[in-house]
Amino acid sequence: MAKKDSYSESLKKDFITLFEILELNERQKHYLKCRWLDQILWMEGRANHARQRYYQLRLTTIIGGVIVPILLSLNININNKPSFDSYLKGFTIALSGMVAISSSIEEFFNYGERWRHYRRTTEILKVQGWELFELSGSYAGYKTHEEAFSNFAGNVETIIQSNVEVYVTNISQESKKQEQEKTSKL
C-alpha cells in the first residue's frame, strides 16, 4: 500500500508545483487543487481499491474453480481411513462454497466495472489538465492559461457530472438489477 500512497503523494506534489508556475489567478489555482486534483486523487484511490478487490475475487474464483473438479475426481483410499476421506470432502465443499461466494460478491459489487470506470474517468481528467497546462488540444486557441480556464472548468464539470450519471445509472443500477433477478428466481 505504501507504493500506491507514495504515487498519489508524488502526483499531488508534482501537480501542485506545476499549478504554481501556471498563469492563473489564486481562485483558479484553488479550483485546480480542490476540484480537479482532488477528483483525480479520489478516483485513483477508488480505482486501485476496486482493482485490488476485483483481482482478489476473480483469482479466488478461478483458482478454486480449477481445484474443485480436481478434488472431486480424486479417488483416494489411504488404507481405508475414512477420516481423510471425510476431511477431503469437507475441504472440497468449503472450497466450492468459497468459489460461489467470491463469484457472487464480484458480480454484485461489479468491482471490475468500477475499476475500469474510475480509471477511464481519471485518465480523461488528466488529459484535460495536460491539455490546459500545454495549451493544446481543445485549449490550443488560447494565448494564456487564464483565458483557457473557463473552458477547462466547464469541461471538468461536464466530465464529473457524466461520471456520476454513468456510475449511478450503469454500475449501481446493475447491482440492483442482478439482486432483483436473483430474488425473483427464488
Side-chain angles (χ1 to χ4, degrees):
M1 212 51 173
K3 186 177 181 182
K4 287 178 179 47
D5 290 340
S6 64
Y7 172 73
S8 292
E9 287 303 314
S10 175
L11 188 67
K12 182 177 181 178
K13 182 181 172 186
D14 289 346
F15 277 129
I16 288 175
T17 300
L18 181 58
F19 298 161
E20 294 307 316
I21 61 173
L22 293 177
E23 306 154 4
L24 296 172
N25 64 44
E26 288 307 310
R27 181 185 49 78
Q28 293 167 329
K29 289 179 184 181
H30 183 75
Y31 177 90
L32 281 172
K33 291 174 193 171
C34 295
R35 183 65 168 164
W36 178 79
L37 182 57
D38 181 64
Q39 285 293 303
I40 286 175
L41 295 175
W42 184 82
M43 286 188 202
E44 283 271 352
R46 298 307 304 162
N48 290 336
H49 174 77
R51 184 193 67 225
Q52 182 181 20
R53 291 285 185 258
Y54 177 69
Y55 283 173
Q56 288 170 341
L57 293 167
R58 288 298 297 152
L59 283 172
T60 299
T61 302
I62 291 166
I63 293 168
V66 169
I67 293 172
V68 167
I70 293 169
L71 292 175
L72 289 173
S73 68
L74 292 177
N75 190 9
I76 299 176
N77 188 0
I78 301 178
N79 298 330
N80 295 323
K81 290 194 177 187
S83 62
F84 181 77
D85 191 44
S86 296
Y87 171 75
L88 187 60
K89 285 180 183 178
F91 178 75
T92 304
I93 290 167
L95 185 58
S96 296
M98 191 170 73
V99 167
I101 289 168
S102 177
S103 177
S104 296
I105 289 171
E106 200 292 312
E107 183 181 337
F108 180 77
F109 286 107
N110 293 306
Y111 285 118
E113 186 58 35
R114 287 179 189 213
W115 164 44
R116 289 182 288 277
H117 170 76
Y118 285 128
R119 286 299 314 141
R120 191 172 30 254
T121 305
T122 300
E123 292 307 315
I124 291 169
L125 285 171
K126 284 180 182 179
V127 166
Q128 286 296 312
W130 284 112
E131 285 182 355
L132 172 71
F133 304 154
E134 298 301 321
L135 292 175
S136 64
S138 57
Y139 311 107
Y142 296 99
K143 291 181 178 26
T144 67
H145 296 105
E146 198 164 7
E147 282 180 25
F149 194 82
S150 179
N151 189 20
F152 167 77
N155 289 344
V156 167
E157 294 306 317
T158 298
I159 292 164
I160 293 170
Q161 180 181 4
S162 175
N163 167 65
V164 171
E165 289 171 3
V166 167
Y167 184 84
V168 169
T169 58
N170 292 352
I171 297 173
S172 65
Q173 291 298 325
E174 186 65 28
S175 293
K176 288 179 185 176
K177 179 182 169 187
Q178 289 171 355
E179 184 63 26
Q180 289 172 346
E181 287 173 0
K182 284 181 182 179
T183 305
S184 67
K185 289 179 183 178
L186 297 177

